[in-house]
Amino acid sequence: MGQLSNRTIAVLSESGFEEVELTEPVKRLKEEGATVHVISSKSGKIKAWDQDHWSIEVDVDKTISEANADDYNGLLLPGGVINPDQLRVNEDAISFVKAFFEAGKPVAAICHGPQTLINADVVKGRKLTSVKNIAQDLINAGADWSDEEVVVDQGLVTSRTPKDLPAFNDKIVEEFAEGVHEGQHA
């Protein structure tokens, strides 16, 4: 029995996610016993980006319209340049993300993943990190941005790049196991 054997985690993504930023955290979550659902705007499969080329396809378990945040204990937002850019303009995706914050549930985002959090209006006053390319966007949205391998702020876990995945994966397991955080809010 892993630390997450009684947890169900949503992974919200579109095609264009950075491959290891979805596959490595999902692998770790499953090793810890979590049930993991990949959620996207369309059913079928989503395609990964691997540094400079298209790579594997991942099965979508539910569409955003089929998924209910109440059914999940935590949310993972993988990065990549294309994926968050699509999510942040999808009103259903933004509503789904906001629901986790409103319920105080842990949320994890890596690399460009926090872009979606900007559009969900949940970063103001929160400490977090990201890939440097979007640091100014986060600061402009009111976040306290820090250049660290992993930052945890009341159930919000963020990391910069794939090289930070070991620390990121350790912290998401810890935060998802802890569950609801009083300071996590929309």
Side-chain angles (χ1 to χ4, degrees):
M1 294 285 268
Q3 295 182 59
L4 302 176
S5 59
N6 60 346
R7 300 281 194 262
T8 303
I9 307 301
V11 179
L12 182 60
S13 186
E14 298 287 358
S15 284
F17 62 91
E18 185 66 37
E19 181 181 326
V20 296
E21 293 175 1
L22 185 146
T23 59
E24 290 300 310
V26 166
K27 177 182 171 193
R28 179 68 187 280
L29 293 169
K30 287 181 176 180
E31 286 171 356
E32 293 291 341
T35 300
V36 179
H37 292 162
V38 174
I39 298 167
S40 192
S41 62
K42 297 181 182 100
S43 60
K45 295 180 183 290
I46 54 175
K47 195 166 196 139
W49 185 260
D50 185 7
Q51 299 175 33
D52 61 359
H53 63 278
W54 291 105
S55 64
I56 65 169
E57 290 186 332
V58 173
D59 290 328
V60 171
D61 297 299
K62 291 186 177 190
T63 63
I64 297 169
S65 60
E66 295 168 334
N68 184 333
D70 293 341
D71 297 334
Y72 297 95
N73 302 102
L75 173 65
L76 171 65
L77 298 168
V81 176
I82 301 166
N83 162 44
D85 202 50
Q86 292 179 52
L87 286 175
R88 69 184 183 164
V89 295
N90 179 321
E91 289 304 317
D92 291 335
I94 295 302
S95 295
F96 189 72
V97 169
K98 282 183 177 182
F100 283 85
F101 283 86
E102 289 164 358
K105 295 178 182 178
V107 174
I110 187 168
C111 198
H112 287 80
Q115 283 182 316
T116 306
L117 301 178
I118 293 170
N119 286 39
D121 198 26
V122 294
V123 300
K124 188 173 185 172
R126 302 299 295 272
K127 184 176 181 186
L128 49 87
T129 192
S130 67
V131 65
K132 284 187 180 178
N133 305 38
I134 66 166
Q136 193 61 51
D137 300 326
L138 288 160
I139 292 165
N140 291 346
D144 176 10
W145 188 86
S146 180
D147 187 11
E148 298 176 54
E149 105 182 313
V150 64
V151 173
V152 180
D153 180 358
Q154 296 291 322
L156 174 59
V157 182
T158 52
S159 277
R160 301 170 302 193
T161 66
K163 71 178 174 40
D164 299 324
L165 279 167
F168 180 70
N169 289 343
D170 287 347
K171 284 297 181 184
I172 66 173
V173 168
E174 183 180 320
E175 296 302 305
F176 289 159
E178 287 178 9
V180 172
H181 290 70
E182 291 294 320
Q184 178 77 301
H185 53 78

